[in-house]
Amino acid sequence: MILPSSAYSRAVLHLDLDAFFVSVELLRNSALHGKPVVIGGRSRRGVVASCSYEARKYGVHAGMPMRMAHQLCPDILVLKGDMESYSKYSTLITDIIADSAPMFEKASIDEFYLDLTGMDRHIGCYKWSIELRQRIMRESGLPISFGLSVNKLISKIGAGEAKPNGMMQVSPGEETAFIHPLSVSKIPSIGKATYKKLSFMGVRTVRVLSEIPARLLEREFGKHGISMWQKANAIDDRPIVPYSDKKSISTERTFQVDTIDVKKLKSLLMGMVEKLAFELRDMKKLTACITVKIRYSDFNTYTQQKRISYTANDKNLMQLATTLFDKLYQRRQLVRLIGVRFSHLVTGNYQISLFDDTAEEMQLLQTMDAIKRRFGTKAVVRACSV
Ligand SMILES: [Mg+2]
């Protein structure tokens, strides 16, 4: 059943650049075309941040330990990432979208959701989307795919199916017909562990998942079970969250009673850095500048700042903050206030942009963040900020 495009209850466009980091590298060095290329940590303990479609043919994928990529494809070319230039391209594309779309969300460095509801009467969402995609490719030189449907979930899966360099429209009413034949692994929130468990239960397609009573899935998987069932039935009410171009985040603390207790000051600072770094990762941002501030009891205020390579890793940031604090706290005087700021923020997923981080370090961060999201930011902290 094909409905006219005016029948859209909502119209959500998902735009996703193809192998974004690699595509930027190809723009700069055409000799890389057609080669298995990965970007990521160069040490053997590093992680694949992005990989070319040629590398994917060998089974290489983002998030995989670099040493495994080497095993799958011994001739693989490993490039060190260049966040500065990826960020520049991301901003260029964001500007084009901001110029064209009434309302959009930047979901990551290379992914966008646009709310096109109500636009159909004028020009037709699909035609409009095609024109926007062409403009982005023309002005940036980068390949991009899209999915267009009534919600975020179906549009995201649609863009994934259209890749590379493609587009897909799922007409209203066709959502379940589109996703039901697909593997459950195509549902974004279904990770490796859930996929294994579902396979073990004999659930391989989205159709079978959609037919299981929600209560049963809840018993097996808790809240995630309900959300899986909703997704398998193409239900997704998530709104488009308008893009914010926040350039810095900061926090500070004024003491009731001025203090000279260095241990206490440092531990407080570590807690602040940890909390801000989590906020950064939650906003899917990275920082390139850290500032530590101290105000003495005589109201004299001093700051120390340092430019760094893009990161959202609290371990790196804590070390930097400690160094800055040691430089700063020269006068053995009572302190009235202490603060920290991260600035020069850019959008970027820490999982894929900390080129020098090891797989173990990333795993630890992801696990800690998952616990924080469930139980609150105080639920788990690094030993040094206790
Ligand atoms: Mg992408």
Side-chain angles (χ1 to χ4, degrees), residues 231-243:
K231 285 176 178 152
N233 285 282
I235 301 165
D236 178 20
D237 304 327
R238 284 173 303 160
I240 308 289
V241 181
Y243 172 60

Side-chain angles (χ1 to χ4, degrees), residues 337-386:
L337 172 149
I338 185 165
V340 60
R341 168 188 298 272
F342 300 156
S343 53
H344 299 77
L345 304 189
V346 296
T347 302
N349 269 348
Y350 73 98
Q351 297 98 318
I352 54 167
S353 46
L354 297 173
F355 302 113
D356 300 322
D357 276 354
T358 64
E360 293 88 341
E361 179 64 22
M362 238 180 279
Q363 195 65 56
L364 174 68
L365 267 178
Q366 279 170 355
T367 307
M368 285 175 73
D369 285 355
I371 296 171
K372 283 178 181 168
R373 282 190 192 101
R374 258 184 95 178
F375 302 108
T377 50
K378 294 227 170 70
V380 48
V381 293
R382 288 186 189 258
C384 47
S385 65
V386 173

Side-chain angles (χ1 to χ4, degrees), residues 119-342:
M119 181 180 279
D120 47 2
R121 256 175 285 157
H122 305 292
I123 176 163
C125 290
Y126 189 54
K127 194 167 161 255
W128 187 91
S129 303
I130 292 171
E131 281 167 13
L132 175 63
R133 174 171 175 259
Q134 280 166 346
R135 183 178 163 200
I136 291 171
M137 293 194 297
R138 196 171 55 237
E139 292 181 19
S140 71
L142 295 168
I144 188 164
S145 302
F146 79 64
L148 174 64
S149 78
V150 296
N151 65 39
K152 281 176 146 180
L153 171 76
I154 301 298
S155 294
K156 179 159 176 82
I157 298 176
E161 292 301 290
K163 273 176 180 300
N165 219 342
M167 43 201 188
M168 178 175 287
Q169 179 187 23
V170 179
S171 302
E174 296 290 312
E175 296 81 17
T176 49
F178 164 56
I179 57 169
H180 277 178
L182 301 175
S183 159
V184 289
S185 64
K186 300 277 170 131
I187 292 185
S189 64
I190 295 185
K192 250 193 220 154
T194 310
Y195 176 74
K196 264 193 195 154
K197 201 166 166 188
L198 286 170
S199 294
F200 187 72
M201 292 164 65
V203 181
R204 290 197 168 79
T205 64
V206 178
R207 182 189 309 280
V208 175
L209 182 62
S210 76
E211 286 163 353
I212 300 176
R215 269 177 302 111
L216 284 184
L217 288 171
E218 188 181 19
R219 199 184 303 159
E220 275 307 311
F221 298 95
K223 260 192 211 158
H224 187 210
I226 302 273
S227 113
M228 266 193 306
W229 181 87
Q230 286 175 331
K231 285 176 178 152
N233 285 282
I235 301 165
D236 178 20
D237 304 327
R238 284 173 303 160
I240 308 289
V241 181
Y243 172 60
S244 111
D245 197 16
K246 228 180 189 180
K247 288 285 183 241
S248 74
I249 52 174
S250 63
T251 181
E252 55 185 44
R253 164 93 170 265
T254 306
F255 300 110
Q256 301 276 2
V257 181
D258 298 352
T259 180
I260 200 162
D261 183 343
V262 175
K263 232 172 127 189
K264 175 180 158 185
L265 286 167
K266 275 192 180 173
S267 124
L268 193 68
L269 182 64
M270 292 305 102
M272 287 170 146
V273 170
E274 187 167 22
K275 196 176 141 272
L276 274 191
F278 172 68
E279 208 178 295
L280 210 54
R281 297 194 294 273
D282 220 33
M283 291 160 62
K284 298 188 184 98
K285 299 236 179 213
L286 305 167
T287 176
C289 185
I290 175 170
T291 308
V292 175
K293 171 164 100 176
I294 283 182
R295 179 168 299 144
Y296 290 102
S297 53
D298 60 6
F299 279 86
N300 277 316
T301 307
Y302 299 86
T303 61
Q304 276 279 344
Q305 78 172 196
K306 192 168 165 47
R307 282 301 300 260
I308 51 176
S309 52
Y310 289 101
T311 186
N313 185 339
D314 46 13
K315 202 175 126 201
N316 303 348
L317 291 164
M318 280 170 162
Q319 279 163 0
L320 286 158
T322 307
T323 313
L324 293 178
F325 177 85
D326 289 338
K327 272 195 203 161
L328 202 54
Y329 191 60
Q330 297 292 353
R331 300 162 57 183
R332 300 284 146 190
Q333 275 184 23
L334 285 167
V335 172
R336 181 181 161 77
L337 172 149
I338 185 165
V340 60
R341 168 188 298 272
F342 300 156

